[in-house]
Amino acid sequence: MADLKERLLPPKPASAFTLREAAGRPTASGRHPFQGVDVLEVKKRGQGLKSWIRVDTSGNSQVMEVDKFTMMRRCDLPARDLRLLDPVFVYPSTILGREKAIVVNLEQIRCIITADEVLLLNSLDKYVLQYVIDLQRKLTTTGAGEVGDVGEVWQSDNSDMNQRRGNRNFENLYNNTSPDYLPFEFRALEVALEAACTFLDTQAAELEIEAYPLLDELTSKISTLNLERVRRLKSRLVALTRRVQKVRDEIEQLMDDDGDMAEMYLTEKKSRMELSFYGDQSMIGYRSADGASISAPVSPVSSPPDSRRLDKSLSMARSRHESMRSTESNTENIEELEMLLEAYFVVIDSSLNKLTSLKEYIDDTEDFINIQLDNVRNQLIQFELLLTTATFVVAIFGVVAGVFGMNFEIPLFDVPSAFQWVLIITGVVGVCIFSAFVWFFKYRRLMPL
């Protein structure tokens, strides 16, 4: 990863020689990642050229600079599909099946997959470089294991039924239609799905590890700082959930549409086109040779010539054979792609379940905090009620003091112990009134018993 990123970094004047030496060093697999390319000119500006990483079916990679219109003609794609790959624009995750290519926009992985190559925008992102390395490793490993698995297909088929099944597996082996030997575009798509699912699952796991201690701390200590941290955490969770949900919906939409899945099988379509082209060429050659050998005139009322009858029979047999073979292969290929998508659908659905559980935990924590705050608020209301009652009782002393403070004379003023009796009587009346209010509050369940 470090060597690959170092080869794609912009040149430094003081270390240009070091970069040139690094470009010549092979990777761990023994292959030069970008052979015949000047690493110091990876990012060429002007004339609308963009740097692309090309990986072929053998795992060889190189960097090339192509403008937008050349790429559109090369992959037979409209301009709106190429805009999905532009890092300047932000588009949701998308997988589009076209006539000659598959457009993949999954998180950091933005590429065009054809039957013969994978084209990625030359980014210095570590996930793009890791995708190139993983794809090279997968292509190299698959290519090395094909020879040994051919014998296993034939050794496991002994009966007549298994013999026919072995013939079909043998044919699918060289046509890359067996589940064990996925076509090139499916292997590239699998690596892209694996990279995207792994990236999202890693982010979900990191967010989960960070969230639970923070939420536990918030339940034990409600503070402004902890509330702000939880708010930021919830914002990240919502954004990540939206991205995971989009990838899940995209995979589910592909699984529900057999036509889209059949459209993505580029190798089969290319083989059928080549077979049809060579068949037409051979038929034209047969007709020209047969026409040159016929010299006798043919009566217009006679039956059709043997050559024409043979031509018609061959055409009908070939069309019937191609139709049956196409139907069977499309069914098998759709099943292969469906199993591939289903495997990563389970992975991305597991990540979504993690985020959903975390969101539910955050909601439960918020409910718990709201309950705590409501409890504190209720206690404050009860305290305010008691304080208001006590204030009313104390006001009675003020009323008594106001009455006896009037400017008039009564015999009670001449009694020495009158002041003490007034205080005692007023205090007892106040305590009785306060006790009556408290009993009333408890009776109406306005205060806990």
Side-chain angles (χ1 to χ4, degrees):
M1 176 67 71
D3 294 340
L4 193 59
K5 186 173 183 179
E6 183 181 1
R7 284 190 290 273
L8 295 177
L9 286 174
K12 296 181 180 180
S15 60
F17 182 75
T18 305
L19 283 176
R20 293 184 183 274
E21 288 183 349
R25 290 199 303 266
T27 59
S29 60
R31 179 185 293 107
H32 294 271
F34 307 105
Q35 296 179 355
V37 178
D38 191 0
V39 184
L40 301 179
E41 296 181 359
V42 169
K43 286 189 174 182
K44 184 178 181 181
R45 300 180 182 273
Q47 299 179 358
L49 296 178
K50 290 187 178 180
S51 183
W52 295 78
I53 300 178
R54 176 183 178 273
V55 182
D56 58 13
T57 56
S58 300
N60 301 317
S61 61
Q62 63 178 358
V63 176
M64 60 181 185
E65 294 182 350
V66 183
D67 59 84
K68 184 176 182 179
F69 297 99
T70 304
M71 186 59 64
M72 290 169 57
R73 292 191 300 268
R74 181 189 184 103
C75 301
D76 194 14
L77 293 174
R80 62 177 178 271
D81 289 345
L82 290 182
R83 281 197 298 269
L84 296 174
L85 307 179
D86 197 337
V88 178
F89 302 101
V90 179
Y91 288 99
S93 298
T94 309
I95 302 176
L96 300 177
R98 297 300 185 229
E99 182 65 26
K100 296 182 180 180
I102 301 175
V103 181
V104 178
N105 178 18
L106 294 175
E107 296 299 320
Q108 285 81 6
I109 307 301
R110 302 185 177 189
C111 62
I112 301 174
I113 302 175
T114 65
D116 302 321
E117 60 186 3
V118 177
L119 300 170
L120 300 97
L121 280 175
N122 188 4
S123 173
L124 298 180
D125 190 271
K126 62 178 182 179
Y127 293 100
V128 177
L129 305 181
Q130 185 64 39
Y131 173 79
V132 176
I133 295 175
D134 293 342
L135 181 58
Q136 290 178 342
R137 184 184 300 112
K138 188 175 186 63
L139 294 175
T140 305
T141 304
T142 306
E146 286 182 355
V147 178
D149 291 335
V150 175
E152 296 179 0
V153 173
W154 284 97
Q155 290 176 1
S156 61
D157 302 330
N158 296 323
S159 62
D160 295 336
M161 181 66 70
N162 292 333
Q163 183 69 29
R164 289 193 297 268
R165 189 176 303 171
N167 294 333
R168 187 177 61 199
N169 290 336
F170 187 78
E171 181 182 359
N172 291 337
L173 172 62
Y174 287 97
N175 289 331
N176 287 331
T177 59
S178 173
D180 296 332
Y181 301 93
L182 292 175
F184 170 75
E185 63 270 16
F186 286 176
R187 283 178 282 174
L189 179 61
E190 181 182 6
V191 177
L193 288 171
E194 181 180 1
C197 294
T198 303
F199 173 73
L200 293 175
D201 188 70
T202 302
Q203 284 197 339
E206 292 177 355
L207 191 63
E208 192 176 19
I209 294 175
E210 180 183 356
Y212 286 113
L214 180 59
L215 294 174
D216 293 339
E217 182 181 357
L218 180 63
T219 54
S220 60
K221 181 181 179 182
I222 303 175
S223 62
T224 305
L225 179 61
N226 290 337
L227 289 174
E228 178 64 21
R229 293 170 62 186
V230 172
R231 185 190 67 82
R232 295 178 181 177
L233 178 68
K234 191 172 182 179
S235 300
R236 291 168 52 194
L237 174 64
V238 171
L240 183 59
T241 303
R242 189 182 301 112
R243 290 158 53 193
V244 174
Q245 183 70 43
K246 180 58 182 175
V247 176
R248 180 186 180 275
D249 293 343
E250 192 68 24
I251 296 176
E252 186 177 11
Q253 182 180 358
L254 284 176
M255 293 172 59
D256 293 339
D257 196 333
D258 294 344
D260 288 345
M261 287 192 290
E263 189 72 18
M264 295 173 64
Y265 199 77
L266 306 178
T267 302
E268 180 67 22
K269 291 192 293 185
K270 181 180 177 182
S271 301
R272 287 201 300 265
M273 290 177 61
E274 292 178 353
L275 182 61
S276 177
F277 175 76
Y278 291 138
D280 294 340
Q281 292 293 330
S282 61
M283 188 61 64
I284 292 174
Y286 171 78
R287 287 178 179 176
S288 61
D290 186 60
S293 62
I294 297 176
S295 59
V298 179
S299 176
V301 296
S302 62
S303 61
D306 294 339
S307 60
R308 190 175 303 173
R309 187 182 299 111
L310 180 61
D311 186 4
K312 185 177 180 180
S313 301
L314 290 175
S315 178
M316 293 177 61
R318 187 183 64 181
S319 61
R320 188 183 300 110
H321 173 70
E322 289 181 357
S323 177
M324 294 175 60
R325 181 178 177 183
S326 176
T327 304
E328 181 181 0
S329 61
N330 283 338
T331 304
E332 293 179 357
N333 294 331
I334 289 174
E335 292 177 356
E336 293 171 9
L337 181 56
E338 187 174 4
M339 288 188 294
L340 173 64
L341 294 175
E342 186 178 358
Y344 289 98
F345 178 81
V346 173
V347 176
I348 199 67
D349 189 66
S350 175
S351 301
L352 184 61
N353 290 334
K354 288 182 183 179
L355 297 177
T356 304
S357 301
L358 181 58
K359 185 177 183 303
E360 292 177 355
Y361 190 80
I362 292 178
D363 293 338
D364 293 341
T365 304
E366 290 179 350
D367 295 339
F368 178 74
I369 292 174
N370 291 329
I371 292 173
Q372 282 187 332
L373 294 178
D374 291 340
N375 186 28
V376 173
R377 190 180 299 109
N378 292 334
Q379 291 178 358
L380 291 176
I381 292 174
Q382 293 172 6
F383 179 75
E384 182 181 4
L385 188 61
L386 291 176
L387 186 61
T388 303
T389 305
T391 304
F392 174 75
V393 172
V394 173
I396 296 177
F397 286 90
V399 172
V400 173
V403 171
F404 283 97
M406 296 294 180
N407 191 11
F408 62 89
E409 294 183 0
I410 57 175
L412 186 62
F413 290 162
D414 298 332
V415 178
S417 61
F419 180 71
Q420 297 178 359
W421 283 105
V422 169
L423 291 179
I424 292 173
I425 294 173
T426 305
V428 171
V429 171
V431 169
C432 292
I433 294 175
F434 184 79
S435 299
F437 271 109
V438 172
W439 176 85
F440 177 75
F441 293 153
K442 290 184 177 182
Y443 176 76
R444 296 300 298 268
R445 296 183 179 180
L446 298 178
M447 294 179 62
L449 299 177

